[in-house]
Amino acid sequence: MKSILLPLNVEGSETQVKIDHVYCIGYAGRSLEKTMEHIIELEKIGIPRPEEVPTLYPVRRNSLNQSGEIQVLGNESSGEAEIVLVFGDSEDEVYITVGSDHTDRSLETVDINKSKQICDKPLAQKAWNLKDVVNHWDDLILTSQVMVNDEWVDYQRAKINEIIPLNEIKDFLSKKGAAMKNSVVFSGTVPLLDGFKYGTGFKMSFIDETRNSEIHAEYAISRLEME
């Protein structure tokens, strides 16, 4: 298996992290009741109920995208701002950044894992050391916006206390036998403000008000034309 190198800017210092595995954690809401409400909503639009909650989806390494643009098929794919954990060579080398679990919603009704595989996973180049934010984890904020009809529309905004806590994320990965060393893990998202929206661009931010710091990334969504 050939590793890839993921470039990150951590507190102004450039580094590269060797990556062997990429995973997405789905249905990672901290409130099981709210998570089940979301699952029922998805069932109504044809997305099948998961076999377990949370759910782990392996993703191809070359889906990681920091270029500022992704290409997609069809008109029904959308992003979601996510906690992204980047695990390096040692237990002390863990970074946190923001990424988008961009997913083909039409394919999601047929096969959820394939719907995640088909789209690139954009993520920011800037990252924080996990140790610098772990003591105020629940106060971190995820936000996103979607470009719809040439206007940015608010899509998500919530503290990550809506997502299972860090220790449960790690316990879940261990339970599933997922290798954390040299891995990128999209570790959960916050609720949408007003349902799925399909646009031509996506902005996402991770906000740390305690340290007055922010990670921001955005990408254009180019739709390939079908003959």
Side-chain angles (χ1 to χ4, degrees), residues 25-75:
I25 300 177
Y27 307 105
R30 190 171 299 191
S31 165
L32 183 58
E33 181 179 354
K34 287 185 178 180
T35 301
M36 292 308 300
E37 287 176 1
H38 178 58
I39 288 170
I40 292 169
E41 287 177 349
L42 293 176
E43 281 186 310
K44 291 178 181 177
I45 61 173
I47 297 172
R49 183 177 293 228
E51 293 182 4
E52 63 175 349
V53 175
T55 303
L56 187 68
Y57 303 102
V59 179
R60 55 192 168 85
R61 292 189 302 278
N62 64 357
S63 68
L64 298 178
N65 186 329
Q66 295 173 305
S67 71
E69 179 186 18
I70 67 169
Q71 293 181 307
V72 299
L73 287 169
N75 297 314

Side-chain angles (χ1 to χ4, degrees), residues 56-117:
L56 187 68
Y57 303 102
V59 179
R60 55 192 168 85
R61 292 189 302 278
N62 64 357
S63 68
L64 298 178
N65 186 329
Q66 295 173 305
S67 71
E69 179 186 18
I70 67 169
Q71 293 181 307
V72 299
L73 287 169
N75 297 314
E76 294 184 7
S77 70
S78 61
E80 288 180 336
E82 297 235 353
I83 301 167
V84 178
L85 294 170
V86 181
F87 297 92
D89 290 320
S90 68
E91 290 185 4
D92 295 328
E93 188 186 9
V94 185
Y95 308 107
I96 184 171
T97 188
V98 66
S100 174
D101 178 14
H102 203 96
T103 299
D104 185 314
R105 302 300 170 187
S106 59
L107 184 55
E108 196 171 22
T109 64
V110 179
D111 188 307
I112 294 176
N113 199 24
K114 287 181 180 178
S115 72
K116 294 184 178 298
Q117 294 286 349

Side-chain angles (χ1 to χ4, degrees), residues 34-207:
K34 287 185 178 180
T35 301
M36 292 308 300
E37 287 176 1
H38 178 58
I39 288 170
I40 292 169
E41 287 177 349
L42 293 176
E43 281 186 310
K44 291 178 181 177
I45 61 173
I47 297 172
R49 183 177 293 228
E51 293 182 4
E52 63 175 349
V53 175
T55 303
L56 187 68
Y57 303 102
V59 179
R60 55 192 168 85
R61 292 189 302 278
N62 64 357
S63 68
L64 298 178
N65 186 329
Q66 295 173 305
S67 71
E69 179 186 18
I70 67 169
Q71 293 181 307
V72 299
L73 287 169
N75 297 314
E76 294 184 7
S77 70
S78 61
E80 288 180 336
E82 297 235 353
I83 301 167
V84 178
L85 294 170
V86 181
F87 297 92
D89 290 320
S90 68
E91 290 185 4
D92 295 328
E93 188 186 9
V94 185
Y95 308 107
I96 184 171
T97 188
V98 66
S100 174
D101 178 14
H102 203 96
T103 299
D104 185 314
R105 302 300 170 187
S106 59
L107 184 55
E108 196 171 22
T109 64
V110 179
D111 188 307
I112 294 176
N113 199 24
K114 287 181 180 178
S115 72
K116 294 184 178 298
Q117 294 286 349
I118 200 171
C119 297
D120 281 357
K121 303 299 180 200
L123 72 164
Q125 294 187 1
K126 180 180 176 180
W128 297 319
N129 280 297
L130 179 63
K131 61 182 175 61
D132 292 336
V133 300
V134 69
N135 289 331
H136 53 279
W137 176 271
D138 277 357
D139 293 326
L140 300 175
I141 299 168
L142 278 176
T143 75
S144 71
Q145 294 177 300
V146 181
M147 176 69 79
V148 179
N149 297 325
D150 297 323
E151 291 187 4
W152 287 109
V153 178
D154 290 338
Y155 197 52
Q156 296 170 282
R157 185 179 179 91
K159 290 185 177 181
I160 65 171
N161 60 7
E162 302 253 0
I163 303 168
I164 59 175
L166 178 61
N167 64 313
E168 291 187 24
I169 291 171
K170 290 182 175 180
D171 288 346
F172 174 68
L173 292 169
S174 295
K175 173 187 170 185
K176 300 301 292 182
M180 281 183 272
K181 180 181 177 181
N182 301 122
S183 292
V184 170
V185 183
F186 287 73
S187 302
T189 189
V190 295
L192 306 181
L193 295 174
D194 187 31
F196 290 127
K197 289 181 170 55
Y198 309 115
T200 56
F202 193 81
K203 287 182 180 180
M204 51 192 168
S205 294
F206 219 159
I207 301 170

Side-chain angles (χ1 to χ4, degrees), residues 199-218:
T200 56
F202 193 81
K203 287 182 180 180
M204 51 192 168
S205 294
F206 219 159
I207 301 170
D208 181 353
E209 294 182 332
T210 300
R211 297 189 308 137
N212 193 28
S213 184
E214 180 174 336
I215 299 173
H216 176 82
E218 63 181 272

